[in-house]
């Protein structure tokens, strides 16, 4: 297993930024009006915002395409949790449609990354950007 040698943001810095984003998400989450529901916790909105911001941090701070895809999937889960917190009466059919969309997107990204990693020795996003020009 090869590890990511040089991420844009170091691991210690990523943890500190994550803690800062968690604090920001609690502050921003307290500003949103919560939908009144019997089983809804007050931590759903800040948790969803924290997951969205964590996914965005993964997307922007990592070089490998695999970890960027993981950041996209984390962000997608945060958006789904945010939507369910704001509108808890979403019909099951719409939820299944969103699930199918996420599944197909992850499947296609997995196939693309597999083909890229098979063709090249690395999947570093910086080195893949040099192929454009």
């Amino acid at each position: 297993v090869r590890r990511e040698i040089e991420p844009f943001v170091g691991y210690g810095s990523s943890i500190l930024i994550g803690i800062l984003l968690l604090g920001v998400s609690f502050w921003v989450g307290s500003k949103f009006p919560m939908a009144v529901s019997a089983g809804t916790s007050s931590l759903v909105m800040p948790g969803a915002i924290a997951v969205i911001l964590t996914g965005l941090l993964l997307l922007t701070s990592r070089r490998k395409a695999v970890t960027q895809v993981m950041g996209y999937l984390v962000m997608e889960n945060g958006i789904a949790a945010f939507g369910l917190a704001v509108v808890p009466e979403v019909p099951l059919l719409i939820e299944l449609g969103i699930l199918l969309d996420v599944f197909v997107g992850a499947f296609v990204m997995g196939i693309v990354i597999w083909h890229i990693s098979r063709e090249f020795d690395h999947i570093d996003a910086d080195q893949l950007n040099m192929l454009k020009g």
Side-chain angles (χ1 to χ4, degrees), residues 90-108:
V90 176
L92 179 64
L93 186 60
I94 294 175
E95 289 182 27
L96 291 175
I98 292 170
L99 179 66
L100 178 65
D101 180 42
V102 171
F103 176 71
V104 169
F107 187 68
V108 168

Side-chain angles (χ1 to χ4, degrees), residues 66-90:
V66 174
T67 53
Q68 289 176 349
V69 168
M70 286 175 46
Y72 170 75
L73 292 174
V74 167
M75 202 163 109
E76 183 77 31
N77 287 333
I79 291 170
F82 183 80
L84 289 174
V86 173
V87 185
E89 295 86 20
V90 176

Side-chain angles (χ1 to χ4, degrees), residues 35-55:
V36 178
S37 174
T40 305
S41 172
S42 63
L43 297 176
V44 172
M45 186 68 69
I49 294 171
V51 171
I52 292 170
L53 292 177
T54 303

Side-chain angles (χ1 to χ4, degrees), residues 2-130:
R2 291 181 285 179
R3 295 180 182 226
E4 187 170 7
I5 296 172
E6 295 180 19
F8 291 125
V9 179
Y11 295 112
S13 300
S14 294
I15 291 172
L16 291 176
I17 292 171
I19 291 170
L20 178 72
L21 290 176
L22 183 64
V24 167
S25 68
F26 272 98
W27 178 73
V28 170
S30 68
K31 304 293 182 192
F32 278 99
M34 270 300 281
V36 178
S37 174
T40 305
S41 172
S42 63
L43 297 176
V44 172
M45 186 68 69
I49 294 171
V51 171
I52 292 170
L53 292 177
T54 303
L56 188 61
L57 177 66
L58 276 172
L59 270 172
T60 57
S61 67
R62 299 292 177 236
R63 291 182 190 263
K64 299 272 185 192
V66 174
T67 53
Q68 289 176 349
V69 168
M70 286 175 46
Y72 170 75
L73 292 174
V74 167
M75 202 163 109
E76 183 77 31
N77 287 333
I79 291 170
F82 183 80
L84 289 174
V86 173
V87 185
E89 295 86 20
V90 176
L92 179 64
L93 186 60
I94 294 175
E95 289 182 27
L96 291 175
I98 292 170
L99 179 66
L100 178 65
D101 180 42
V102 171
F103 176 71
V104 169
F107 187 68
V108 168
M109 283 187 278
I111 291 172
V112 168
I113 289 173
W114 180 73
H115 282 291
I116 289 172
S117 65
R118 188 179 65 167
E119 192 68 30
F120 300 104
D121 292 336
H122 56 80
I123 51 175
D124 190 352
D126 281 343
Q127 293 179 8
L128 291 175
N129 283 336
M130 291 188 309

